[in-house]
Amino acid sequence: MKLFLSGHDDRYSIEQLQLALFPEEEMEQAEAAHFSGDGAVSALHRGSKWLTATAKITWRGKTARAACRLLAQKETVPLRRQALARSYYLAALQLLPEAPPWGALSGVRPTKLTTRHLLAGGTRASADRMLRDTYFVTTGRRALCVDSSDATVRSMAHLRPRDVSVYVGIPFCPTRCSYCSFVSQSIERCAGLLEEYLECLLREVRHVGMRIKETGCIVRTLYIGGGTPTTLSASQLDRLMKTIRESFDLSELLEYTVEGGRPDTLDEEKLRVLRENGCDRISINPQTMNDEALRAIGRRHSATDTLRAYEQAKNVGFHATNMDLIAGLPADTTETFADTLRKILSLEPENITVHTLALKKGAALFQERCDLPTAGDVAQMLQDAEAALRAAGYVPYYLYRQKYMSGSFENVGWTKPGFGCLYNIYMMEEIHTIISLGGGGMTKIMLPDGHLERQHNPKAPQQYLSRIEDTLCQKDAVFTQLKTFPEFCE
């Protein structure tokens, strides 16, 4: 679907909105305002008194137009982008079969708007009105957004100026799921890399631990993710976690999470290693309890394996267990998804994260879109999930969106009161510094002016191994920068 801009250069925001509203259409940059076929023209006209944003969209043989005005003397970058987005959305609304759930919002973190609103003194009611009147967000999505921002505001009470979180990445999995686009390696293909990768990671753990102590940072949440960290053997996990304990002062840690992920990588020995090394939260992610759907996405475990792993984890004594589900998987239906919900709710895990399937370009499923539920079916799955989870006493505590999501919906973390994962909130809401180690890790530095700076570790394990010296130097630069911040100069 073509896109041409006239009178402004806010390409990213309009492109993201077009992708969100017309997710099945390929993005194409038009060379001129006059073109044939499907496409949109987003224009900004400047007058002496008014800025007028207009949109003209042609889709499937029909054309729609809309306009929004802004007083020129009140122009700011956010208000200008807001007017452009509103005009585009109002034109698209005339062509789409129904109102999109997130209205004119296209970003992956809609809760940032409502969180800022609440922190500035707004109320839940005024945050809801903002989403309704400015961005046309539907009733249900507004409630999810405001509830999640409420949890974010509460979580910020735990943070102090020198606090950081630490992420440790293990970019390996038993096999590659058909929906996955992460840079993670299948153990079947790269088993020989695992030990070498672990040794390299231990170097980074020791190096960063030393820098954290020198700087005076205080580690508040620790998260080992992936990939699938429990692809490591029990002895490898023990070495990693012992090195973490030796390298970091964990005396003020609020939570320690390991993403166990696939049930087929878990056994009682590994679970005891995790617990004995201080981990108090674990994820066991079935994605579905429908064995046919599991086979369709390339998973080599069954629903029975999930039940076995969950029972073992409970016996070991974790403080909280998360279970991930995905709405919209191939070979799944509204009925089988409802059955998955019933089975998971009967286990009473502390957290349940409900994802919406995202068709990412790097995933095999992007090319082989067969046997997928319709957007209407996905909407029903999510509606059923919310009703069942709220009825069971769970509340939303974090939320984010992704590109190419089925039905343009969202991922929501649900929790029993008092069990929300702080790391998930801090990482997704980007409200304090997160130091990331390992292949694919992204360090997020919260600058004194409130902006965020990102630094990336090499993604693929092979690149991480070959560039470890550069990675350690980059970490040195991070901590040199942190030491210049006011809270570290006192």
Side-chain angles (χ1 to χ4, degrees):
M1 191 169 177
K2 301 179 184 71
L3 176 64
F4 182 78
L5 306 185
S6 176
H8 72 93
D9 60 358
D10 289 310
R11 175 169 297 280
Y12 180 79
S13 57
I14 301 301
E15 280 183 344
Q16 296 309 300
L17 188 55
Q18 182 162 298
L19 286 169
L21 297 178
F22 302 98
E24 296 182 1
E25 304 292 340
E26 287 287 334
M27 179 68 67
E28 180 183 348
Q29 185 172 333
E31 297 299 323
H34 304 289
F35 51 78
S36 60
D38 291 348
V41 177
S42 171
L44 186 68
H45 309 274
R46 293 181 177 276
S48 59
K49 184 177 181 181
W50 296 97
L51 269 65
T52 305
T54 64
K56 174 187 173 185
I57 305 175
T58 299
W59 187 56
R60 296 182 179 177
K62 296 182 179 179
T63 299
R65 295 174 173 83
C68 287
R69 295 202 303 177
L70 170 68
L71 279 170
Q73 65 183 18
K74 293 187 176 181
E75 180 187 2
T76 62
V77 172
L79 287 177
R80 183 182 69 239
R81 288 177 177 168
Q82 193 179 101
L84 289 164
R86 284 168 65 90
S87 65
Y88 189 101
Y89 172 79
L90 291 171
L93 192 60
Q94 300 170 48
L95 304 173
L96 296 170
E98 59 185 355
W102 286 99
L105 284 178
S106 60
V108 300
R109 296 178 176 87
T111 48
K112 280 196 167 185
L113 287 169
T114 41
T115 299
R116 282 199 297 265
H117 184 85
L118 294 176
L119 290 172
T123 64
R124 287 179 57 93
S126 61
D128 181 84
R129 286 194 300 272
M130 175 188 66
L131 292 176
R132 182 193 66 193
D133 298 341
T134 304
Y135 299 101
F136 313 107
V137 179
T138 58
T139 303
R141 267 62 208 177
R142 298 200 306 268
L144 289 174
C145 200
V146 175
D147 283 347
S148 298
S149 285
D150 247 354
T152 297
V153 172
R154 290 194 301 272
S155 76
M156 292 174 72
H158 296 288
L159 293 177
R160 303 164 306 188
R162 294 191 182 193
D163 288 351
V164 298
S165 290
V166 172
Y167 173 86
V168 180
I170 310 293
F172 295 88
C173 285
T175 59
R176 190 175 182 86
C177 296
S178 63
Y179 56 78
C180 181
S181 66
F182 288 119
V183 182
S184 59
Q185 300 296 319
S186 164
I187 284 300
E188 294 176 325
R189 296 173 51 201
C190 301
L193 275 179
L194 194 53
E195 181 61 29
E196 188 179 359
Y197 175 85
L198 178 59
E199 286 299 323
C200 214
L201 177 61
L202 295 180
R203 276 192 66 192
E204 191 181 7
V205 168
R206 295 186 187 104
H207 189 86
V208 170
M210 180 175 61
R211 293 288 178 256
I212 281 181
K213 289 176 182 176
E214 290 173 353
T215 309
C217 296
I218 302 167
V219 181
R220 297 293 269 167
T221 76
L222 178 59
Y223 192 103
I224 303 179
T228 306
T230 46
T231 303
L232 297 174
S233 68
S235 62
Q236 288 172 327
L237 282 169
D238 192 48
R239 280 165 55 203
L240 172 61
M241 297 180 76
K242 276 185 166 60
T243 302
I244 290 171
R245 287 168 57 194
E246 293 164 359
S247 303
F248 297 109
D249 179 357
L250 303 182
S251 61
E252 298 192 57
L253 200 65
L254 294 169
E255 62 179 31
Y256 190 158
T257 306
V258 174
E259 196 173 316
R262 298 208 197 178
D264 50 332
T265 67
L266 294 169
D267 56 36
E268 191 165 343
E269 181 185 10
K270 287 185 185 179
L271 291 165
R272 291 198 180 280
V273 165
L274 299 182
R275 192 71 192 93
E276 289 167 3
N277 279 286
C279 171
D280 57 0
R281 306 179 63 95
I282 189 169
S283 287
I284 299 172
N285 301 335
Q287 315 302 23
T288 176
M289 298 295 276
N290 174 2
D291 284 346
E292 183 183 356
L294 287 170
R295 287 191 294 271
I297 61 175
R299 288 224 167 187
R300 295 183 181 173
H301 66 83
S302 66
T304 301
D305 292 326
T306 298
L307 297 175
R308 183 262 314 155
Y310 183 83
E311 182 178 0
Q312 288 176 333
K314 280 298 178 188
N315 290 339
V316 168
F318 290 92
H319 169 70
T321 302
N322 173 76
M323 305 188 83
D324 279 6
L325 307 178
I326 299 178
L329 291 174
D332 220 359
T333 66
T334 55
E335 291 77 19
T336 55
F337 185 79
D339 183 61
T340 289
L341 273 171
R342 283 192 294 272
K343 289 175 178 175
I344 297 302
L345 283 170
S346 71
L347 300 175
E348 299 184 340
E350 286 73 23
N351 303 153
I352 299 175
T353 306
V354 180
H355 296 267
T356 302
L357 179 68
L359 290 172
K360 301 173 186 177
K361 289 187 177 181
L365 194 58
F366 186 84
Q367 304 297 333
E368 306 165 6
R369 306 183 197 189
C370 56
D371 203 17
L372 290 176
T374 66
D377 286 342
V378 174
Q380 188 64 54
M381 292 174 185
L382 296 175
Q383 181 178 321
D384 291 346
E386 179 173 359
L389 286 159
R390 288 193 185 275
Y394 292 82
V395 292
Y397 78 100
Y398 82 107
L399 178 156
Y400 67 103
R401 301 175 69 204
Q402 294 170 281
K403 296 179 184 178
Y404 314 114
M405 296 190 89
S406 180
S408 193
F409 291 111
E410 67 287 315
N411 305 319
V412 181
W414 296 84
T415 184
K416 292 181 177 180
F419 288 95
C421 178
L422 293 171
Y423 173 84
N424 284 337
I425 297 174
Y426 298 157
M427 180 271 297
M428 195 53 58
E429 292 290 326
E430 300 179 329
I431 52 182
H432 86 147
T433 293
I434 295 177
I435 309 296
S436 293
L437 290 67
M442 181 196 296
T443 292
K444 298 181 178 183
I445 307 165
M446 181 57 65
L447 302 175
D449 64 1
H451 287 85
L452 203 72
E453 183 177 296
R454 295 173 176 84
Q455 294 194 4
H456 301 264
N457 276 13
K459 287 188 176 182
Q462 298 91 333
Q463 294 173 332
Y464 177 73
L465 292 173
S466 65
R467 293 169 55 192
I468 184 61
E469 298 298 336
D470 292 340
T471 298
L472 298 183
C473 287
Q474 184 187 66
K475 287 298 190 300
D476 288 341
V478 167
F479 287 100
T480 298
Q481 182 181 17
L482 286 176
K483 284 193 286 189
T484 68
F485 294 176
E487 57 265 35
F488 294 100
C489 296
E490 295 173 355

